[in-house]
Amino acid sequence: MAIALVTGASSGLGEEFAWQLATAGHDVVLVSRSRDRLSEVAHLLEGATGRSAEVLPADLTTEKGRTAVAARLQAEARPVSLLVNNAGFGIGERFAESSWRHEKALLDIHVTAPLRLAHAAVPGMIARGHGAVLNVSSVAAHLANTTYAAHKRWAVDFTQALAGQLGGTGVTATAVLPGLVRTRFHDSDALSHMRHEFPDTVWLDPERVVASALAAVRRGQTVVTPSPGYAVAGAVLRAVPRRLTRGRRSMQKD
Ligand SMILES: NC(=O)c1ccc[n+]([C@@H]2O[C@H](COP(=O)([O-])OP(=O)(O)OC[C@H]3O[C@@H](n4cnc5c(N)ncnc54)[C@H](OP(=O)(O)O)[C@@H]3O)[C@@H](O)[C@H]2O)c1
């Protein structure tokens, strides 16, 4: 049975990806920093679905962590046919006030890691004639207001480029652009205020986002926005001049 590797599988969307993939009959490789939490997810998932779950602890903001996961993706034994680049976090800091350590980690988790892992996974997928890469972006990709948004924009553009280059190989690339989702993402002090700023109705459940993303992968669709409300918001944001999405304080002209 096809094997899927999911980054950020200890929580939120990644944990849900692991559950839905295993329930659909995939064996899974679970990646994140916390070995204990991954082992717990693997144990529950194996018991409930009968699929095997490998635990691969790695910090994807480090070269060492990315190299370990890349090595698993390049392994010819038990090859991975679906890579889900999902691990991520927000720092909730304005650029001029953030520390370089935070900015570098943000870039590494959202850009360096997906790039490195796709680079490791795709050649084997092409050689085998099938496979898929799923990159978790965000509706923030339509905004031009933070470095997080810039990284999520990169994820969409990278996916588009990959999809174009993979045409005719049997390998596909998909980017999913979730809106606000109820996960641990907004648990940090810097982001918890968002829970009160947005009404309950705009928060999505991970189940719905993941089901929509995996359906798009199965169709070979390149970009998907789960939920009609966020799809409309995305279409509106794409239609307005980009400078209007920079944020309240920007008076600068193009
Ligand atoms: N929640 C939202 O509203 C929302 C909206 C749009 C897009 N997204 C995107 O969805 C993705 C998943 O986020 P989530 O909402 O599911 O958040 P979450 O519940 O906080 O999960 C984040 C996952 O990433 C892992 N992770 C964090 N830092 C890592 C590192 N340095 N190395 C390896 N793994 C790391 C975490 O595991 P460990 O702590 O064990 O390492 C955890 O499994 C992110 O890319 C996020 O940008 C979220």
Side-chain angles (χ1 to χ4, degrees):
M1 182 50 73
I3 300 176
L5 184 146
V6 181
T7 70
S10 63
S11 162
L13 290 172
E15 184 177 355
E16 182 61 25
F17 273 116
W19 274 99
Q20 290 197 22
L21 286 163
T23 303
H26 296 267
D27 290 341
V28 288
V29 184
L30 310 178
V31 178
S32 88
R33 290 167 301 183
S34 41
R35 180 188 293 276
D36 290 353
R37 179 63 192 139
L38 287 180
S39 300
E40 197 182 324
V41 173
H43 177 72
L44 290 172
L45 194 148
E46 286 182 335
T49 68
R51 304 314 315 179
S52 97
E54 289 173 52
V55 167
L56 177 45
D59 183 343
L60 293 171
T61 65
T62 68
E63 184 58 33
K64 186 179 169 203
R66 293 188 293 271
T67 301
V69 181
R72 176 62 188 87
L73 290 163
Q74 286 167 327
E76 286 174 17
R78 293 181 49 76
V80 171
S81 57
L82 171 61
L83 164 64
V84 183
N85 278 315
N86 164 78
F89 51 79
I91 57 173
E93 296 165 3
R94 292 176 65 79
F95 182 70
E97 290 136 29
S98 63
S99 69
W100 172 240
R101 190 170 64 84
H102 284 174
E103 286 293 347
K104 180 72 166 64
L106 200 69
L107 181 76
D108 281 341
I109 196 82
H110 293 130
V111 178
T112 317
L115 188 71
R116 174 85 170 91
L117 301 191
H119 195 255
V122 162
M125 292 178 181
I126 294 174
R128 292 186 292 275
H130 69 94
V133 175
L134 171 59
N135 294 315
V136 178
S137 177
S138 166
V139 289
H142 298 305
L143 305 174
N145 60 350
T146 56
T147 46
Y148 175 84
H151 302 333
K152 292 301 187 183
R153 180 73 239 163
W154 174 87
V156 178
D157 290 346
F158 170 58
T159 305
Q160 296 273 16
L162 202 53
Q165 292 191 18
L166 290 171
T169 64
V171 182
T172 59
T174 299
V176 58
L177 281 65
L180 294 166
V181 193
R182 290 185 193 89
T183 66
R184 277 180 17 203
F185 187 89
H186 300 93
D187 280 2
S188 69
D189 288 348
L191 296 176
S192 58
H193 63 94
M194 292 178 71
R195 291 195 196 281
H196 317 293
E197 283 172 11
F198 295 91
D200 213 36
T201 46
V202 304
W203 291 87
L204 303 173
D205 289 324
E207 294 80 3
R208 182 176 178 186
V209 173
V210 167
S212 169
L214 293 179
V217 171
R218 290 183 190 109
R219 287 193 297 271
Q221 187 178 335
T222 307
V223 178
V224 64
T225 302
S227 112
Y230 281 109
V232 169
V236 170
L237 286 167
R238 280 197 305 278
V240 303
R242 199 138 166 83
R243 68 184 155 76
L244 297 181
T245 71
R246 285 179 195 156
R248 282 189 294 259
R249 297 188 208 179
S250 173
M251 300 299 285
Q252 197 175 318
K253 294 194 169 54
D254 279 334

